[in-house]
Amino acid sequence: MPKVVSKKFNQRTERPNKDKKDGDNKAAASASAASAASRAFGPLFNKDLGQHILKNPLVAQGIVDKAYLRPTDTVLEIGPGTGNLTVKILEKCKKVVAVEMDPRLAAELTKRVHGTPDQRRLEIMIGDFMKTTLPYFDVCISNTPYQISSVLVFKLLEHRPLFRTSVLMFQREFALRLVAKPGDSLYCRLSVNVQLYAKVEHIMKVGKNNFRPPPQVESSVVRMEPRNPPPPVDFKEWDGLMRVLFVRKNKTLSASFKTDSVMEMLENNYKTYCATHDRMIEDPLDMKAKVQGVLQKTEFAEHRAAKMDQDDYLKLLAAFNEEGIHFC
């Protein structure tokens, strides 16, 4: 009898330990399943690097189709991730050069094409796109990390030789700024500067649920085709003028050019220009009158930057430069 009691007693005292072990086993099994799922879907994504992988194959195919790839093309892909876009691009072109900052994702992409005919036609460059010397390419396709959108656009436009076209995914508002026209609420310095060097077209909207993990904002795809040849404009001069005009884009140009900081900058630039070109400086120098004279002559004094177009800006910049007035 004592043995039986002892046995029951042990059962009561040991059951909590057994329950704990069962709980631990379930937790371990759950963690194992989660780990397996993570491996199945690739590595964990780093939101700090703007990693939002496009998971919808129909959207990926639409992006590739809008690039109008040729069998002889070399394609630059920025931020390939796990390769959902890459494999579709490889079906249409000669070679893909993929620039990926995250070595883990680069490894996933390498595994994906290993042992396939695409392996020889894919070159992966691991590193920061902004610090990378870009090779020759005909077309650029990118699911762009949103925090580098602006610098990416201008690095592409500065690339030589010029590429044929690019199809780029951006945050919706940024994309709409790129394509904005005079009079649009989103028309800004970015719109004017990019459209000086490229034709930009909105292609499609992409909802946040098409990505893993979903971003906090909606996205859009644009096609950007560099103007060839590019306009013969000093970009620093051009951008200097745009900075003045778009500080308050709805003010008249006459009002924009009356601020003390703008006048001081233009006067210093004018004196430098005269000194380096053996040109006499008027005494006394009335910079405000000089600037307003240009605005009256070009008939832009009462115009507003928000409603002016590329031809207007080019005409205005040329008129200022003729008078020795420069913006950089």
Side-chain angles (χ1 to χ4, degrees):
M1 190 61 135
K3 290 182 180 178
V4 175
V5 172
S6 175
K7 185 177 181 182
K8 288 182 179 178
F9 178 79
N10 288 340
Q11 284 176 338
R12 292 194 191 98
T13 56
E14 289 174 4
R15 183 169 297 280
N17 291 333
K18 182 177 184 300
D19 291 343
K20 182 175 183 300
K21 289 179 181 178
D22 289 344
D24 290 345
N25 290 338
K26 288 180 181 179
S30 176
S32 178
S35 178
S38 176
R39 287 194 298 272
F41 287 104
L44 294 175
F45 301 118
N46 187 338
K47 290 187 178 181
D48 291 338
L49 296 179
Q51 292 175 351
H52 299 281
I53 305 302
L54 181 63
K55 67 179 184 179
N56 188 330
L58 295 178
V59 175
Q61 189 62 57
I63 290 173
V64 174
D65 290 344
K66 293 297 184 179
Y68 303 121
L69 297 177
R70 302 170 186 172
T72 56
D73 281 340
T74 295
V75 177
L76 174 70
E77 186 184 8
I78 304 164
T82 55
N84 293 343
L85 259 174
T86 315
V87 294
K88 293 185 179 297
I89 298 170
L90 284 165
E91 294 173 0
K92 300 286 187 178
C93 70
K94 179 181 178 181
K95 179 182 179 181
V96 172
V97 179
V99 182
E100 175 54 62
M101 188 169 185
D102 191 334
R104 301 172 308 149
L105 294 184
E108 288 289 318
L109 179 54
T110 301
K111 291 178 191 175
R112 187 164 185 170
V113 299
H114 182 71
T116 71
D118 292 338
Q119 183 177 354
R120 294 180 294 104
R121 298 189 295 115
L122 174 63
E123 177 185 345
I124 301 177
M125 302 174 66
I126 301 176
D128 184 347
F129 167 78
M130 301 314 302
K131 298 177 182 177
T132 300
T133 300
L134 301 181
Y136 170 87
F137 62 94
D138 301 290
V139 177
C140 177
I141 297 178
S142 173
N143 175 17
T144 310
Y146 293 159
Q147 63 265 40
I148 66 167
S149 296
S150 183
V151 285
L152 178 146
V153 166
F154 286 103
K155 179 163 183 172
L156 289 178
L157 291 176
E158 290 170 359
H159 181 72
R160 296 296 182 271
L162 289 172
F163 54 94
R164 187 172 74 250
T165 190
S166 60
V167 178
L168 310 168
M169 179 98 71
F170 293 118
Q171 178 180 337
R172 176 79 48 80
E173 183 174 327
F174 182 87
L176 294 179
R177 289 181 184 278
L178 289 179
V179 302
K181 301 300 180 186
D184 292 349
S185 60
L186 292 177
Y187 189 58
C188 61
R189 185 164 64 97
L190 174 69
S191 318
V192 176
N193 284 349
V194 172
Q195 291 172 32
L196 175 68
Y197 289 103
K199 299 175 184 177
V200 193
E201 174 188 4
H202 187 277
I203 294 177
M204 70 175 83
K205 297 179 180 179
V206 183
K208 61 181 72 174
N209 291 330
N210 291 288
F211 299 89
R212 187 178 73 250
Q216 294 181 345
V217 295
E218 303 293 336
S219 302
S220 280
V221 179
V222 302
R223 180 168 49 235
M224 185 173 71
E225 298 179 2
R227 300 186 188 278
N228 193 6
V233 178
D234 182 333
F235 180 73
K236 290 183 179 179
E237 276 283 314
W238 170 274
D239 188 48
L241 173 60
M242 294 307 110
R243 286 178 185 274
V244 173
L245 298 184
F246 279 92
V247 170
R248 294 288 185 272
K249 67 178 182 180
N250 290 310
K251 291 176 66 174
T252 64
L253 266 60
S254 179
S256 295
F257 278 96
K258 287 179 179 176
T259 63
D260 292 340
S261 59
V262 171
M263 284 298 102
E264 182 181 358
M265 179 267 293
L266 293 180
E267 183 170 329
N268 289 337
N269 289 350
Y270 180 71
K271 290 178 179 178
T272 300
Y273 175 81
C274 290
T276 56
H277 288 77
D278 295 326
R279 184 168 172 171
M280 294 293 293
I281 300 175
E282 299 91 323
D283 187 17
L285 174 61
D286 188 341
M287 203 65 201
K288 282 189 178 181
K290 203 169 182 61
V291 169
Q292 293 298 320
V294 172
L295 295 178
Q296 294 296 334
K297 180 180 178 181
T298 55
E299 299 182 347
F300 287 134
E302 298 306 312
H303 282 55
R304 304 174 197 280
K307 296 186 177 180
M308 295 172 65
D309 60 21
Q310 300 282 339
D311 291 339
D312 294 333
Y313 299 130
L314 287 168
K315 179 181 177 181
L316 182 61
L317 181 61
F320 273 124
N321 288 169
E322 285 177 7
E323 293 296 322
I325 300 173
H326 292 267
F327 295 85
C328 69

